Amino acid sequence: MSAGEANLELLRAAISRKAGIVLSLPAHEADGKDGKVLKHYKSRFLADGGDGLWVAAVPAEAALVRELVERRGPAGVSFRSGHTKVVFAAPVLHVQSDYPAADGAGTIDALLLRFPDAHEVRAVQRRKTYRVPVPANSDLTVRLWRMSEQAHLRDKPPAKSELRCDLFDISVAGLGVVVHGHGGKPPAVAAGDRVRVQLTMREATVLLEGRLRYPPKGSKDGRGPARAGIQFKTLTDGKDDRNAMIQLDRMVSELQRESIRRRKLGVA
């Protein structure tokens, strides 16, 4: 899977969840000068139309939309997938004033855009270090193993190398954990240790390589659990790394949405 195809997967996932978007329409400058400016409007994906995709229209710009349809002019689309911003431009093919509303109650105005090719969709990683808290009852779980410098990520790790840990926050760049020792002893980890990280959220699982990037902080007597940070190895453009990034991004995105909902409800 190429980078462009991976970006298309992010687009299709956003369409399926009817994600919110920013719709950018080119309009003539208000002072009558030659040239155009972009006007930005809140919108959302409605459906995948095969060769096209449906988005909510902008009723206030009916004349501009008709002009774009007549000349197959482009509209810009941008949306967030976790901490990734995805952008593309596509011609406006059709406007429909009686598109069925999602709740089945009435109709709405909708635009049909040509579905972009893989090379036309760009993804920009933003705020990579933004961490999302992981509540105790989260669907996201982690398993952690120490790795030798010679070990391959896909190798089956020995049982004795597994570290018992609790996950308390995560980003697409790393995670925070509390590592527990055994038999009253402190956890056998140190800054710089190479680790194998397995993240699971319901049916989805992703394997990542990481390193402890600051000294674990334990209890005052040195015998209790230690809080530590893990930085993921930088992912490349290889097939396995692209797939891992897509899975990781989806997990962090879902946790972020859940965190926002919890804050709105006043839930800790």
Side-chain angles (χ1 to χ4, degrees), residues 7 10-11 22 24 45 75-80 84-90 116-124 126:
N7 294 340
L10 293 177
L11 171 58
V22 174
S24 301
F45 290 122
V77 175
S78 64
F79 64 93
R80 299 280 186 184
T84 300
K85 181 179 181 181
V86 182
V87 298
F88 64 91
D117 294 329
H119 71 275
E120 295 175 312
V121 183
R122 295 188 299 110
V124 181
R126 298 174 65 85

Side-chain angles (χ1 to χ4, degrees), residues 236-266:
T236 67
D237 197 38
K239 179 181 178 181
D240 289 344
D241 279 6
R242 287 196 302 270
N243 291 337
M245 176 53 73
I246 290 172
Q247 291 283 10
L248 176 61
D249 191 80
R250 286 174 178 168
M251 291 176 179
V252 175
S253 298
E254 185 166 342
L255 278 174
Q256 187 176 23
R257 290 191 294 271
E258 178 63 23
S259 177
I260 292 171
R261 287 193 292 267
R262 293 172 69 88
R263 286 201 301 271
K264 288 181 178 178
L265 294 173

Side-chain angles (χ1 to χ4, degrees), residues 105-162:
T107 60
I108 60 173
D109 292 340
L111 301 179
L112 179 66
L113 308 182
R114 177 179 62 77
F115 206 98
D117 294 329
H119 71 275
E120 295 175 312
V121 183
R122 295 188 299 110
V124 181
Q125 201 73 31
R126 298 174 65 85
R127 297 192 306 163
K128 291 184 67 175
T129 57
Y130 181 82
R131 291 186 178 269
V132 183
V134 181
N137 60 349
S138 173
D139 289 331
L140 180 65
T141 60
V142 62
R143 294 183 69 183
L144 193 66
W145 295 264
R146 290 189 307 275
M147 291 176 65
S148 69
E149 295 300 322
Q150 296 75 34
H152 189 276
L153 181 62
R154 297 288 174 179
D155 294 342
K156 183 178 179 180
K160 65 180 181 180
S161 69
E162 184 166 6

Side-chain angles (χ1 to χ4, degrees), residues 29-255:
E29 292 185 287
D31 58 9
K33 294 180 181 179
D34 291 337
K36 293 185 177 182
V37 295
L38 286 176
K39 292 186 175 182
H40 306 289
Y41 305 90
K42 289 184 178 180
S43 179
R44 70 176 47 257
F45 290 122
L46 299 176
D48 185 338
D51 291 338
L53 58 92
W54 289 97
V55 302
V58 184
E61 295 290 354
L64 174 56
V65 168
R66 285 196 300 271
E67 177 190 341
L68 292 174
V69 172
E70 289 173 0
R71 60 183 180 83
R72 294 293 191 267
V77 175
S78 64
F79 64 93
R80 299 280 186 184
S81 178
H83 305 299
T84 300
K85 181 179 181 181
V86 182
V87 298
F88 64 91
V92 183
L93 305 178
H94 180 64
V95 58
Q96 182 173 327
S97 58
D98 57 352
Y99 190 92
D103 58 5
T107 60
I108 60 173
D109 292 340
L111 301 179
L112 179 66
L113 308 182
R114 177 179 62 77
F115 206 98
D117 294 329
H119 71 275
E120 295 175 312
V121 183
R122 295 188 299 110
V124 181
Q125 201 73 31
R126 298 174 65 85
R127 297 192 306 163
K128 291 184 67 175
T129 57
Y130 181 82
R131 291 186 178 269
V132 183
V134 181
N137 60 349
S138 173
D139 289 331
L140 180 65
T141 60
V142 62
R143 294 183 69 183
L144 193 66
W145 295 264
R146 290 189 307 275
M147 291 176 65
S148 69
E149 295 300 322
Q150 296 75 34
H152 189 276
L153 181 62
R154 297 288 174 179
D155 294 342
K156 183 178 179 180
K160 65 180 181 180
S161 69
E162 184 166 6
L163 300 167
R164 188 163 59 91
C165 66
D166 299 317
L167 177 62
F168 63 83
D169 66 27
I170 187 171
S171 76
V172 295
L175 49 81
V177 294
V178 173
V179 186
H180 301 271
H182 296 279
K185 296 180 180 180
V189 291
D193 281 355
R194 186 174 179 235
V195 290
R196 179 184 195 260
V197 181
Q198 177 181 297
L199 294 168
T200 302
M201 179 175 274
R202 293 183 287 277
E203 297 81 14
T205 298
V206 61
L207 283 177
L208 299 160
E209 178 183 332
R211 287 189 185 272
L212 273 70
R213 284 309 186 194
Y214 59 80
K217 296 179 180 179
S219 57
K220 291 181 180 179
D221 62 8
R223 300 177 63 84
R227 181 165 174 162
I230 296 172
Q231 181 180 15
F232 297 141
K233 179 183 176 181
T234 301
L235 297 176
T236 67
D237 197 38
K239 179 181 178 181
D240 289 344
D241 279 6
R242 287 196 302 270
N243 291 337
M245 176 53 73
I246 290 172
Q247 291 283 10
L248 176 61
D249 191 80
R250 286 174 178 168
M251 291 176 179
V252 175
S253 298
E254 185 166 342
L255 278 174

